[in-house]
């Protein structure tokens, strides 16, 4: 599933291609991707309008229109955006055709992505009970989130109602960079370790964006280029693979401290 870095990249791609252009036709190829909006309503609110700005929050992309509505894009597991004039995409679910002859496709091979509409982005975020965005949260708020949280640290980082934007891969990387075992108890982490997780979270997510969310292209001091069966810790020694909350987890037992 695309995590925060991917969605930030999609946002920047959208901004560089699709703003300030009049929408001519909206083609909803697979209506099952629509969430809480009908085909008729989506077409009515988009046709003849322009996108004026975008906002990423966690794993969601909001695209604001000049009629005060916002298109909501959630990319599921395989969704992405493609802007083109003559070349198409292979699994187009929603196609927005601009008057300039270019098209924007919401492409999603597995059809787990969702497209919605809202007139109030903040209300939508509250209704979804999303936690603070992982790149926007300040340290004081981050520290307060951990008050009386007794769960395991990795599932907590991946919980979108706790912090929005982090998924399986980058949770592993953040904990590796923080030298903390993924089975550590969140309420046992002292302020120093919480600050380390906070700082590494910002560094990892920003570096992932810089590297276009290509985990295996990250510096070799990162876990993700080694995150495969028989992979080795960048500092030496084999990585271990376990399941935590049903998710495959890679970590270094030698360099990540278990805090219970």
């Amino acid at each position: 599933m695309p995590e925060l870095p991917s969605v930030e990249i999609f946002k920047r791609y959208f901004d560089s291609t699709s703003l300030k252009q009049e929408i001519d036709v909206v083609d909803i190829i697979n209506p099952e991707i629509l969430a809480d909006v009908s085909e008729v309503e989506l077409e009515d609110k988009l046709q003849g309008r322009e996108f004026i700005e975008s906002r990423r929050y966690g794993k969601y992309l909001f695209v604001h229109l000049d009629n005060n509505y916002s298109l909501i894009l959630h990319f599921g597991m395989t969704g992405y955006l493609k802007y083109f004039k003559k070349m198409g995409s292979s699994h187009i679910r929603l196609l927005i055709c601009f008057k300039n002859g270019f098209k924007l496709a919401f492409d999603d091979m597995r059809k787990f992505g969702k497209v919605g509409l809202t007139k109030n982005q903040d209300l939508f975020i509250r209704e979804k009970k999303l936690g603070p965005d992982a790149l926007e949260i300040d340290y004081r708020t981050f520290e307060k989130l951990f008050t009386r949280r007794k769960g395991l640290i990795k599932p907590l980082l991946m919980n979108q109602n706790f912090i929005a934007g982090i998924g399986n891969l980058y949770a592993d990387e953040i904990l590796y960079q923080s030298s903390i075992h993924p089975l550590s108890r969140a309420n046992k982490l002292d302020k120093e370790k919480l600050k380390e997780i906070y700082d590494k979270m910002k560094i990892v997510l920003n570096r992932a964006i810089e590297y276009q969310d290509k985990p295996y292209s990250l510096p070799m001091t990162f876990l993700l280029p080694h995150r495969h069966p028989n992979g080795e810790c960048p500092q030496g020694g084999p990585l271990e693979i376990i399941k935590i909350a049903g998710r495959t987890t890679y970590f270094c037992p030698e360099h990540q401290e278990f805090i219970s």
Side-chain angles (χ1 to χ4, degrees), residues 1 3 14 28 38 48-49 68 74 81 98 101 109 115 117 127-128 130 140 151 178 184 193 250:
M1 179 179 292
E3 300 184 31
F14 182 94
I28 304 164
S38 69
R49 315 309 306 193
N68 288 324
H74 190 277
L81 299 175
F98 298 107
M109 181 177 68
V115 175
L117 197 68
E127 288 177 344
K128 288 292 181 181
L130 298 177
R140 180 173 295 181
S178 305
S184 295
K193 289 183 171 58
Y250 286 72

Side-chain angles (χ1 to χ4, degrees), residues 133-145:
D133 180 85
L135 274 184
E136 295 180 0
I137 188 172
D138 61 82
Y139 177 66
R140 180 173 295 181
T141 304
F142 182 86
E143 185 181 15
K144 286 181 179 178
L145 286 178

Side-chain angles (χ1 to χ4, degrees), residues 21-161:
Q21 299 178 41
E22 186 176 350
I23 298 168
D24 188 23
V25 176
V26 177
D27 187 2
I28 304 164
I29 298 165
N30 291 98
E32 61 265 36
I33 70 167
L34 300 183
D36 300 320
V37 63
S38 69
E39 294 179 66
V40 172
E41 183 183 11
L42 190 66
E43 291 171 359
D44 177 65
K45 295 300 187 291
L46 265 61
Q47 286 178 354
R49 315 309 306 193
E50 293 183 2
F51 296 117
I52 57 175
E53 63 182 352
S54 71
R55 173 193 184 188
R56 181 200 53 74
Y57 193 99
K59 299 179 183 181
Y60 285 89
L61 178 61
F62 298 93
V63 188
H64 196 56
L65 291 148
D66 61 0
N67 58 2
N68 288 324
Y69 281 87
S70 294
L71 188 68
I72 308 166
L73 300 174
H74 190 277
F75 296 90
M77 293 183 68
T78 57
Y80 68 95
L81 299 175
K82 178 70 175 179
Y83 183 78
F84 60 93
K85 191 167 189 177
K86 293 183 179 179
M87 294 179 60
S89 290
S90 54
H91 300 96
I92 298 174
R93 310 304 175 191
L94 171 69
L95 187 65
I96 297 172
C97 304
F98 298 107
K99 287 244 174 141
N100 66 357
F102 281 83
K103 302 173 179 66
L104 179 71
F106 182 85
D107 189 292
D108 186 8
M109 181 177 68
R110 300 188 67 180
K111 293 193 284 189
F112 291 150
K114 293 295 179 184
V115 175
L117 197 68
T118 185
K119 211 169 183 181
N120 189 325
Q121 297 176 14
D122 292 331
L123 177 61
F124 176 86
I125 290 166
R126 289 195 298 272
E127 288 177 344
K128 288 292 181 181
K129 299 180 180 178
L130 298 177
D133 180 85
L135 274 184
E136 295 180 0
I137 188 172
D138 61 82
Y139 177 66
R140 180 173 295 181
T141 304
F142 182 86
E143 185 181 15
K144 286 181 179 178
L145 286 178
F146 282 86
T147 304
R148 296 186 295 277
R149 296 306 294 251
K150 297 182 179 180
L152 303 180
I153 184 60
K154 181 178 176 180
L156 201 55
L157 288 177
M158 293 173 57
N159 183 345
Q160 301 305 296
N161 303 127

